[in-house]
């Protein structure tokens, strides 16, 4: 129930590591100003007070991985005006979606001494596959500044807008040496959306795609580039599936590479 005239905000967790929620707490310099603008009504990671919904804005971290998750997300949607999914887990199913290509019973048997007590779904899926999502915030973890932009937009009644272009543009802006061109390192930058400030290329490492695909990725050309750089079929598949592999562009391309007939020379 609402107890303040300020917009109420909830932060809710599904299957995840909590890293995206921690970005709220990492916004130390802005947190007090934010607290003046919104009522943090439900955020168990940060405070013990729990005001019941409905809320104005609900941030959802994590993927839907259990039958209970699948039921709970319907209630979360019904109890909020805006629902924002945050992070790779919530927007794509996350790293745990690697199990979508495997047999969940094998995992249960290998990992747990008493697998009969484990209640889980055979897939890990994004929030948008279950309920309507108003906005998706990408990254593993999400970027603090993008998070604050979204909060400010929503509480002022504006639709949030974040860039959907490729990370390569950020590299160019920062004057970074391209690790793909200069060192023939596989880098997912050409198909990954900007938002992190090109963290990995700035330390001489290829991007592994944690911010998800750009709006219109050229997957075929990118897959050819990976193969030209000497990656085997299995390595290409692993690169494309690692962080956001269950999303359509990554999924379709990695499946196509995996299922392609082997050419004998
Ligand atoms: S997206 Fe990454 S940082 Fe965020 S909850 Fe999932 S694993 Fe953690
Ligand atoms: S390092 Fe990666 S992200 Fe940067 S320009 Fe090269 S390919 Fe693009
Ligand atoms: S460079 Fe790529 S992998 Fe590294 S933080 Fe940015 S989006 Fe994530």
């Amino acid at each position: 129930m609402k107890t303040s005239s300020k917009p109420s905000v909830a932060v809710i967790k599904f299957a995840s590591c909590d890293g995206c929620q921690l970005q709220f707490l990492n916004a130390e310099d802005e947190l007090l100003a934010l607290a003046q603008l919104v009522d943090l009504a439900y955020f168990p990671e940060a405070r013990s007070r729990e005001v019941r919904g409905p809320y104005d804005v609900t941030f959802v971290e994590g993927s839907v991985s259990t039958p209970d998750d699948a039921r709970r997300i319907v209630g979360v949607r019904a109890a909020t005006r805006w629902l924002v999914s945050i992070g790779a887990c919530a927007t794509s199913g996350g790293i745990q979606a690697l199990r979508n290509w495997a047999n969940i019973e094998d995992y249960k048997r290998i990992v747990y001494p008493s697998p009969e007590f484990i209640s889980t779904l055979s897939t890990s899926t994004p929030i948008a596959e279950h309920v309507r999502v108003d906005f998706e915030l990408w990254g593993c973890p999400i970027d603090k500044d993008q998070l604050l932009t979204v909060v400010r937009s929503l509480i002022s009644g504006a639709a949030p807008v974040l860039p959907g272009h490729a990370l390569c543009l950020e590299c160019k802006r920062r004057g970074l040496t391209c690790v793909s061109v200069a060192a023939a390192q596989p880098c997912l930058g050409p198909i990954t959306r900007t938002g992190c400030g090109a963290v990995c290329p700035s330390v001489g490492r290829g991007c592994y795609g944690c911010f998800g695909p750009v709006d219109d990725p050229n997957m075929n050309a990118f897959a050819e580039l990976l193969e030209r750089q000497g990656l085997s079929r299995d390595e290409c598949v692993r690169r494309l599936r690692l962080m956001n592999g269950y999303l359509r562009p990554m999924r379709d391309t990695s499946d196509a590479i995996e299922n392609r007939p082997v050419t004998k020379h």
Side-chain angles (χ1 to χ4, degrees), residues 16-20 61 87-89 139-141:
S16 58
C17 81
D18 288 25
C20 287
E61 176 197 77
C89 297
C140 178

Side-chain angles (χ1 to χ4, degrees), residues 167-168 171-172 178-180 187 189-190 201:
L167 183 68
C168 293
C171 264
K172 302 298 171 231
C178 174
V179 300
S180 179
C187 176

Side-chain angles (χ1 to χ4, degrees), residues 25-103:
L25 304 180
N26 286 341
E28 291 159 355
D29 293 341
E30 299 87 354
L31 211 51
L32 283 179
L34 192 65
Q36 307 292 319
L37 297 173
V38 301
D39 178 27
L40 271 176
Y42 183 89
F43 189 4
E45 180 84 27
R47 61 189 308 181
S48 51
R49 185 186 74 138
E50 294 183 4
V51 179
R52 292 182 59 185
Y55 310 110
D56 292 303
V57 187
T58 299
F59 291 93
V60 176
E61 176 197 77
S63 64
V64 173
S65 299
T66 66
D68 183 53
D69 288 346
R71 279 189 295 273
R72 194 160 60 101
I73 191 61
V74 175
V76 169
R77 172 69 265 184
T80 192
R81 183 173 176 203
W82 289 300
L83 190 155
V84 181
S85 52
I86 56 171
C89 297
T91 52
S92 75
I95 291 178
Q96 58 270 34
L98 285 169
R99 78 188 195 198
N100 299 0
W101 285 273
N103 182 343

Side-chain angles (χ1 to χ4, degrees), residues 87-133:
C89 297
T91 52
S92 75
I95 291 178
Q96 58 270 34
L98 285 169
R99 78 188 195 198
N100 299 0
W101 285 273
N103 182 343
I104 193 69
E105 296 307 318
D106 290 343
Y107 276 124
K108 281 164 64 177
R109 204 177 51 251
I110 292 165
V111 174
Y112 300 99
S114 304
E116 66 274 19
F117 295 118
I118 303 298
S119 170
T120 188
L121 296 170
S122 59
T123 54
S124 163
T125 42
I127 301 300
E129 208 164 297
H130 298 264
V131 294
R132 180 174 56 81
V133 168

